[in-house]
Amino acid sequence: MPKFVFDFTEGNKDLKDLLGGKGANLAEMTNLGLPVPPGFTITTEACRHYLEHGSLPEGLGDEVNRHLAALEQRMGKRLGEPGDPLLVSVRSGAKFSMPGMMETVLNIGLNDESVHGLAAQAGDERFAWDSYRRLIQMFGKTVLDIDGDLFEDAIEAAKDAKGTKDDGDLDAADFRALVGRFKEIVREHTGRDFPTDPREQMDLAVKAVFDSWNADRAILYRRQERIPADVGTAVNICSMVFGNLGMDSGTGVAFTRDPASGQQGIYGDYLQNAQGEDVVAGIRNTVALIELERIDKASYDRLLEIMETLENHYLDMCDIEFTIERGKLWMLQTRVGKRTAAAAFRIACQLLDQGLIDADEAATRVTGDQLAQLMFPRFDEARLADARRLTKGMNASPGAAVGKAVFTTEAAVRAAAEGEDVILVRRETNPDDLAGMVAARGVLTSRGGKTSHAAVVARGMGKTCVCGAEELDVDVKGRRFTGPGGVVVNEGDVVSIDGTSGEVYLGEVPVEDSPVVLYFEGRLTDSEGGELVQAVHRLMRHADERAGMTVRANADNAEDSARARRFGAQGIGLCRTEHMFLGDRRQLVEKLILAGDAEERTAALDALEPLQRSDFEGIFEAMDGLPVTIRLIDPPLHEFLPDMTELAVKIALAGDGADPQDRRLLEAVRRLHEQNPMLGLRGVRLGLVIPGLFSMQVRAIAEAAAHRRAAGGDPRPEIMIPLVGAVQELEAIREEAKGVLAEVAEASGVDVPALIGTMIELPRAALTAGQIAEAAEFFSFGTNDLTQTTWGFSRDDVEAAFFSRYLDLGIFGVSPFETLDREGVGRLIRIAVEEGRRTRPDLKLGICGEHGGDPDSVHFCHEVGLDYVSCSPFRIPVARLEAGRAAIAAATG
Ligand code: PEP
Ligand code: MG
């Protein structure tokens, strides 16, 4: 039979799964010899059994009896004994911190008799009756489900009767009267008396804590924080110590260093003559912890000593809760403390310098997500104090954005085209708003949570977003929104939104670049950047040293390539050539599509080639000496043509006078129209169907490389064929490309070797990777399309339509477009890696879908043995850090 109860002397900090965070750490402190009030923990396993079967597991009662007896023996008193009662607290404590979400009951063991014993032992009648009323109040609320306001109202009434507003003015008789009143409330609302049997109190409280795992707020919190729903909570039963026994008692919280900056020092709050709940309730003002030195020097010194012990033991910043009972210090809780992203980097390096941890460990103490947070532009702290704060919504996608409020996609696109910065304000967004979201600096919505369309899409784009700002009344038709206090913001008025905090401001708040980005850009050296930048510099350097994979960029122009290189990219993993066909060049593509014969087609291709060539030259120059993977055109050609409906309307309106060119164009648009372009004439299929298209691109690549080589450069082109599903497709294009490369080499007299490889972005490609590798020198996993085709999801359609529902239902915890779906898509990748390498052991393997910049996906790529990940320039530092962390994790197990 499993063991369901652990004494604090039996557990340790590594048993969080079983004992919860609080129980595991209480045990750890107990074993360190720190002053923890004795007690025991009932495991999460018992909770899971209870939640599943609706009853406590067999044998639990006996085990609790044994542990309680041992506790009583150690304390020299019995639970609720009339003359000198042992009192206990019953506290929840899950594996993951869920602050305030579950229940706690203090002072278990008090009843009409033992209250006198407590009064006698403490020598304090008032304290005893106050403790008793606290028990009935907490028990009533959490175990018996009575509205807490009823108790609060009774206290208010007692104070009114006394003509005071301060709890401190209530005396023993008042609390005694309140106990009577509270018992009446219990009777009125439950039809039974408050249970006076101490053991019954304890058992009911344990069940209530278990039940609180499934309270609405706990469920909501778990969803938000992505905490699994089935792990359950442990229950800690701990002998009571009292911070409210007079001015020589008190309670406090502390951090072993500043959780915002990482600086060492005394950070915390203390409240004299109080219990922990009073601090949380904010009934009286706390004092800074440093004051404790004056109030109780001995306890203060002991506390600092313990904090040092904890840091040296946990090798990290800890937070603690403590109580002083008549000059004796007790530790009630500790855990590794939460911190800001900046503090995480600083603290990791501080601990490294103190010799507490090594560089590998330091790198594991920070995450790519934290680094990403440090890279967003932010509002100038100094100017924030003067800003006019309007409201606060959800911090859906980090960053700071300022612009004129606009209320429609059309207005956003129009204003952006005129060079205006705009914030798109909507009640909620839908797929039709996509263009507006792209054009805007930021997005603000009054509805929807962190998984709403606006939030999911904005995060995907790296666009600042505040969503669910419920105090705003958005009137799209009237082109305005109204905020708290009736403040009206009309279209064109400037607002500032902070996607990191969720704050919304009126008017312009100055934005500043992140110093971390300035450092990556090379505009700030590590020594100029202060402690934070230095910490980032050190940890990045170490991650680079340890990384097994390199990091490349998805970039399609020279400027982005140069920036990517400054950010540490070691090549280009994806140059999407279709991006070179936009703007003015769209007309040339139109000509290609409309070409009536081979001559016209050749003329159109000839016009495009020099433009492509010069683009490639720029990229090769920026990435000199590093590999540049150029993907031949992928999207269906109709994407380069005007909108079918608009064109049809134009022609219809012009009637007989319609431009013949427009008519030809409409015919082409109709011919090329596809029901599902994602699965239509695109990728390698285009190359096989449109004669000369891929050859033109390969020629441009080869000539650009030859020019660079002739100019003394070191171009390293890699030609990548998209959307291959069968090796035969690749073979045909490969032959064509080889021919063009040979022609250019001969004509130019310069031979530039170019690898030819393919993207793996269809399940069939993954499943036949062994064959495809015969014709490919490299594979790059296009996990955007591979995710779409594996799930049968068309991204543009599904994200807005039902992803928030899927997230709510827990079908996935995170969108498979954000973090690689290891079980499905990941399985295909594993197959392709294994079978591809079996055919061609030196096959180069990378990933270029957006997952290449996602921390968890980077770890997966390391695990399956890819050579590189490729991501957008801005994500490169994140991918570098995670590539290093993945290697360290693999090496240290
Ligand atoms: C992919 O499918 O993952 C990919 C990189 O190609 P694109 O996003 O251009 O379709
Ligand atoms: Mg693709």
Side-chain angles (χ1 to χ4, degrees):
M1 201 161 64
K3 179 170 160 65
F4 290 115
V5 185
F6 284 70
D7 192 89
F8 290 169
T9 54
E10 293 177 301
N12 67 60
K13 71 175 175 8
D14 300 322
L15 291 179
K16 287 199 186 73
D17 282 341
L18 200 58
L19 304 181
K22 185 181 297 218
N25 287 320
L26 281 170
E28 189 78 9
M29 285 199 290
T30 301
N31 294 327
L32 276 174
L34 300 183
V36 174
F40 53 88
T41 304
I42 303 176
T43 63
T44 54
E45 200 176 349
C47 175
R48 288 192 293 274
H49 181 287
Y50 174 78
L51 294 176
E52 200 177 315
H53 299 95
S55 61
L56 296 171
E58 207 183 315
L60 176 65
D62 290 344
E63 256 190 273
V64 170
N65 285 343
R66 279 200 303 279
H67 281 85
L68 181 59
L71 179 64
E72 289 175 332
Q73 196 171 21
R74 186 146 16 120
M75 302 300 289
K77 38 183 161 182
R78 308 219 7 243
L79 183 68
E81 183 181 329
D84 181 11
L86 168 67
L87 303 184
V88 296
S89 62
V90 174
R91 292 175 187 268
S92 59
K95 175 180 181 188
F96 304 99
S97 152
M98 294 172 57
M101 293 300 139
M102 289 179 299
E103 304 296 1
T104 286
V105 184
L106 304 180
N107 303 342
I108 296 268
L110 279 175
N111 55 29
D112 293 348
E113 284 151 21
S114 62
V115 68
H116 296 293
L118 181 67
Q121 291 297 327
D124 188 339
E125 187 93 3
R126 178 185 184 277
F127 156 76
W129 287 102
D130 183 19
S131 299
Y132 193 15
R133 72 90 195 166
R134 284 177 196 249
L135 167 65
I136 304 173
Q137 187 173 354
M138 272 193 228
F139 195 93
K141 213 173 118 186
T142 64
V143 182
L144 303 175
D145 244 351
I146 300 170
D147 179 359
D149 283 348
L150 295 170
F151 299 107
E152 293 295 343
D153 291 348
I155 298 174
E156 284 309 307
K159 286 196 281 192
D160 284 350
K162 262 216 132 142
T164 178
K165 292 208 170 316
D166 187 352
D167 287 19
D169 292 335
L170 299 180
D171 59 22
D174 296 321
F175 281 123
R176 187 177 185 149
L178 269 177
V179 163
R181 177 69 199 113
F182 282 7
K183 285 204 254 174
E184 274 168 32
I185 292 175
V186 169
R187 209 172 306 119
E188 280 161 23
H189 289 269
T190 65
R192 58 165 286 185
D193 285 331
F194 174 72
T196 49
D197 172 17
R199 184 56 200 273
E200 188 187 0
Q201 290 174 357
M202 194 175 105
D203 290 344
L204 289 173
V206 169
K207 282 191 192 166
V209 171
F210 283 163
D211 282 327
S212 69
W213 176 257
N214 280 331
D216 288 348
R217 62 182 181 194
I219 292 173
L220 204 69
Y221 183 85
R222 284 199 294 273
R223 259 192 217 147
Q224 285 277 340
E225 300 297 315
R226 296 187 185 153
I227 295 174
D230 56 359
V231 295
T233 181
V235 178
N236 300 291
I237 296 183
C238 191
S239 41
M240 285 294 304
V241 289
F242 294 96
N244 54 342
L245 271 173
M247 296 311 273
D248 56 356
S249 303
T251 187
V253 291
F255 287 93
T256 55
R257 47 183 95 200
D258 184 350
S261 73
Q263 240 121 42
Q264 276 181 298
I266 312 297
Y267 296 93
D269 300 299
Y270 183 67
L271 191 55
Q272 258 174 300
N273 193 16
Q275 276 190 306
E277 277 50 37
D278 301 330
V279 180
V280 179
I283 294 166
R284 274 178 289 142
N285 287 339
T286 55
V287 297
L289 184 60
I290 193 100
E291 294 285 312
L292 181 60
E293 187 174 21
R294 189 180 45 74
I295 299 168
D296 179 353
K297 174 104 170 71
S299 295
Y300 177 79
D301 289 345
R302 177 82 180 106
L303 185 66
L304 294 200
E305 214 177 274
I306 288 174
M307 293 211 285
E308 197 180 324
T309 306
L310 286 174
E311 270 220 351
N312 289 336
H313 181 72
Y314 281 86
L315 305 176
D316 206 343
M317 184 258 272
C318 297
D319 71 19
I320 57 176
E321 288 178 19
F322 65 92
T323 280
I324 297 173
E325 182 182 288
R326 294 196 167 149
K328 163 104 178 99
L329 177 66
W330 292 100
M331 303 301 294
L332 299 189
Q333 177 168 325
T334 192
R335 65 188 165 194
V336 167
K338 289 212 162 72
R339 62 207 69 191
T340 62
F345 276 84
R346 290 202 189 104
I347 291 174
C349 285
Q350 289 163 2
L351 298 172
L352 178 61
D353 289 337
Q354 283 174 253
L356 290 175
I357 58 176
D358 64 12
D360 274 0
E361 179 63 25
T364 66
R365 296 285 178 89
V366 294
T367 66
D369 284 334
Q370 286 169 330
L371 180 62
Q373 273 181 39
L374 296 177
M375 291 176 65
F376 287 104
R378 53 196 192 181
F379 288 124
D380 182 345
E381 289 276 336
R383 311 282 288 278
L384 220 46
D386 305 332
R388 280 185 64 198
R389 188 183 166 283
L390 181 63
T391 186
K392 186 169 177 169
M394 262 184 246
N395 50 342
S397 180
V402 181
K404 293 182 173 168
V406 292
F407 293 84
T408 59
T409 278
E410 295 71 37
V413 171
R414 206 177 323 115
E418 285 163 14
E420 299 263 25
D421 289 342
V422 294
I423 303 289
L424 179 63
V425 186
R426 308 279 293 164
R427 267 196 210 116
E428 54 210 350
T429 63
N430 63 49
D432 294 337
D433 292 318
L434 214 60
M437 293 178 75
V438 172
R441 306 293 296 190
V443 180
L444 170 63
T445 71
S446 60
R447 291 204 200 135
K450 281 189 177 174
T451 54
S452 63
H453 175 266
V456 172
V457 176
R459 276 200 299 278
M461 295 198 266
K463 181 113 352 191
T464 299
C465 175
V466 172
C467 67
E470 287 174 355
E471 289 182 322
L472 303 185
D473 185 8
V474 177
D475 174 6
V476 171
K477 274 214 186 83
R479 303 287 168 100
R480 62 170 170 258
F481 70 79
T482 313
V487 178
V488 174
V489 171
N490 288 302
E491 186 147 288
D493 292 348
V494 173
V495 290
S496 302
I497 61 171
D498 188 334
T500 313
S501 68
E503 299 282 359
V504 180
Y505 302 94
L506 286 177
E508 179 182 344
V509 181
V511 176
E512 58 180 18
D513 281 336
S514 130
V516 173
V517 167
L518 294 179
Y519 154 72
F520 284 128
E521 284 279 10
R523 285 153 62 193
L524 200 67
T525 66
D526 60 299
S527 50
E528 288 163 353
E531 194 191 351
L532 172 61
V533 168
Q534 264 169 39
V536 169
H537 172 74
R538 290 172 67 187
L539 296 178
M540 290 301 290
R541 241 184 12 197
H542 185 69
D544 287 344
E545 258 168 41
R546 298 291 265 129
M549 299 185 294
T550 54
V551 177
R552 297 195 195 180
N554 292 358
D556 22 68
N557 57 54
E559 200 183 308
D560 283 356
S561 304
R563 171 181 231 211
R565 193 165 192 168
R566 290 196 296 276
F567 276 30
Q570 296 192 49
I572 300 281
L574 175 63
C575 168
R576 291 180 166 105
T577 51
E578 60 270 15
H579 290 177
M580 301 167 174
F581 288 164
L582 299 175
D584 299 346
R585 302 180 189 177
R586 196 189 284 259
Q587 282 174 358
L588 297 175
V589 183
E590 249 176 52
K591 281 203 178 129
L592 171 69
I593 296 169
L594 296 180
D597 54 28
E599 206 177 318
E600 276 181 23
R601 186 164 48 242
T602 309
L605 288 169
D606 285 352
L608 274 167
E609 202 218 295
L611 302 172
Q612 288 249 285
R613 189 168 60 220
S614 81
D615 290 335
F616 293 141
E617 272 189 63
I619 295 172
F620 288 144
E621 191 173 352
M623 281 288 167
D624 196 59
L626 296 173
V628 174
T629 306
I630 297 167
R631 178 180 74 185
L632 305 186
I633 186 168
D634 180 8
L637 292 184
H638 65 79
E639 288 203 4
F640 300 94
L641 296 179
D643 178 77
M644 181 155 72
T645 316
E646 273 174 30
L647 194 58
V649 169
K650 184 177 170 198
I651 291 170
L653 288 177
D656 291 344
D659 185 343
Q661 176 72 5
D662 281 349
R663 289 185 192 279
R664 281 181 70 200
L665 206 51
L666 180 61
E667 196 194 310
V669 173
R670 289 212 166 109
R671 183 163 33 85
L672 293 172
H673 176 76
E674 296 183 347
Q675 292 299 336
N676 187 346
M678 194 192 97
L679 300 176
L681 178 56
R682 52 168 291 210
V684 66
R685 304 161 194 173
L686 275 176
L688 293 169
V689 168
I690 315 260
L693 179 58
F694 276 14
S695 285
M696 177 277 285
Q697 292 199 291
V698 173
R699 186 176 310 277
I701 294 167
E703 289 179 357
H707 279 185
R708 284 296 310 149
R709 179 60 60 83
D714 180 12
R716 308 255 176 112
E718 300 179 343
I719 296 167
M720 180 156 78
I721 319 299
L723 214 76
V724 163
V727 67
Q728 292 82 355
E729 293 171 312
L730 183 60
E731 278 166 351
I733 299 295
R734 185 182 168 83
E735 279 313 300
E736 184 182 338
K738 286 247 171 229
V740 174
L741 290 172
E743 271 170 42
V744 174
E746 194 171 320
S748 64
V750 185
D751 185 17
V752 183
L755 299 184
I756 298 178
T758 185
M759 299 187 72
I760 302 290
E761 44 189 351
L762 294 175
R764 191 179 192 287
L767 297 171
T768 60
Q771 293 170 27
I772 291 179
E774 302 271 1
E777 286 157 299
F778 64 87
F779 285 171
S780 177
F781 291 96
T783 46
N784 300 334
D785 273 311
L786 192 56
T787 301
Q788 296 201 91
T789 51
T790 301
W791 280 86
F793 281 160
S794 139
R795 182 171 186 172
D796 290 347
D797 297 319
V798 296
E799 278 189 326
F802 60 80
F803 263 31
S804 41
R805 182 82 187 120
Y806 266 41
L807 290 162
D808 282 348
L809 289 172
I811 292 172
F812 32 67
V814 52
S815 158
F817 290 110
E818 266 177 61
T819 294
L820 199 123
D821 151 37
R822 288 173 177 245
E823 291 169 10
V825 178
R827 175 125 196 262
L828 287 170
I829 293 177
R830 281 183 196 276
I831 292 171
V833 166
E834 202 183 300
E835 300 192 357
R837 282 224 170 106
R838 200 178 302 147
T839 299
R840 190 190 285 265
D842 64 346
L843 184 71
K844 246 211 270 189
L845 296 169
I847 181 175
C848 64
E850 277 165 57
H851 304 93
D854 166 70
D856 187 65
S857 313
V858 171
H859 284 246
F860 173 81
C861 293
H862 179 90
E863 286 161 30
V864 297
L866 300 196
D867 297 305
Y868 68 87
V869 297
S870 188
C871 58
S872 70
F874 208 67
R875 295 293 291 183
I876 283 167
V878 172
R880 280 169 54 201
L881 180 62
E882 291 295 350
R885 296 183 67 229
I888 292 168
T892 55

